[in-house]
Amino acid sequence: MTQPNPITALVIVDVQEGMLDLPGIGPVGRDELLANICTLIDGARSANYPIVYIQHEGVAGQALAKTVPGHAIAREIAPRAEDKVVSKAECGMFKATELEKVLTELDVRRLIICGMQTEFCVDTAVRTAADRGYKVIIAAGAHATFDTGSLSAGSIADHHEAVWQQAFGQVVDVHDIEFREGASVSA
């Protein structure tokens, strides 16, 4: 007897106006990042996958503070009524949030993860999801960060994708992820 495919959810981490307004998003730019996430959203919707948005709540004075326009999820990928939005105040999407409850209620066991910022909240999302037993697919081309003083955004992305592929999940180009009705996914 074969096991049914686990239910898959698309998880979009911290793609908020305040992040996208900062200069220097790379290795993909703002428009490419949003287009690639839109591709994932369209695929998820066509196969009836749940979509979960993770929305960071920064403290007063920060670009993602709840009281400022930057807190809003990017308008190009705004959630619909049927989507789930989980607020977080820390780097980790599971820490002190309702995410585990949401995923359990949806019977989700596999996550396609995309979003911002590669070396912070996306990396933490990938690692903690894998540690919690979720099968993880990281959408290459649909996560982004910024150049730092010592590393380019491209180098940061390449490094993290190599680590994720080796130990935490499967890294798949956003255009190679195939969404299938019945909550299965192939790469």
Side-chain angles (χ1 to χ4, degrees):
M1 177 177 230
T2 60
Q3 290 281 72
N5 287 319
I7 293 177
T8 304
L10 174 62
V11 178
I12 303 167
V13 179
D14 297 352
V15 183
Q16 295 166 247
E17 293 294 338
M19 292 294 285
L20 296 171
D21 287 343
L22 298 171
I25 296 173
V28 296
R30 180 188 204 280
D31 294 341
E32 185 180 355
L33 174 68
L34 291 170
N36 287 342
I37 293 173
C38 283
T39 296
L40 293 171
I41 291 170
D42 291 346
R45 292 201 196 291
S46 71
N48 296 312
Y49 289 20
I51 300 173
V52 180
Y53 291 81
I54 308 300
Q55 186 174 26
H56 190 83
E57 293 188 6
V59 297
Q62 291 181 338
L64 302 183
K66 195 170 186 175
T67 57
V68 300
H71 180 259
I73 293 169
R75 62 191 156 285
E76 296 89 340
I77 61 161
R80 293 184 182 171
E82 67 270 19
D83 299 330
K84 306 293 184 188
V85 178
V86 174
S87 295
K88 69 176 181 64
E90 304 285 339
C91 193
M93 66 183 186
F94 288 99
K95 186 176 181 182
T97 72
E98 296 290 316
L99 181 60
E100 191 79 52
K101 179 182 175 194
V102 167
L103 297 176
T104 299
E105 288 173 356
L106 295 170
D107 198 26
V108 169
R109 295 307 311 148
R110 183 183 294 152
L111 305 176
I112 300 170
I113 298 177
C114 63
M116 293 192 69
Q117 189 172 349
T118 301
E119 72 276 30
F120 292 110
C121 296
V122 174
D123 182 55
T124 303
V126 168
R127 290 169 184 256
T128 57
D131 285 348
R132 289 172 181 258
Y134 291 95
K135 294 184 184 295
V136 177
I137 297 171
I138 303 96
H143 64 88
T145 192
F146 309 91
D147 291 338
T148 68
S150 57
L151 291 171
S152 70
S155 294
I156 294 167
D158 290 345
H159 168 77
H160 280 79
E161 287 178 359
V163 170
W164 295 333
Q165 183 74 29
Q166 186 176 43
F168 298 101
Q170 183 180 9
V171 177
V172 181
D173 185 273
V174 68
H175 301 292
D176 293 332
I177 296 173
E178 296 178 19
F179 294 87
R180 296 187 182 145
E181 187 71 39
S184 66
V185 65
S186 69

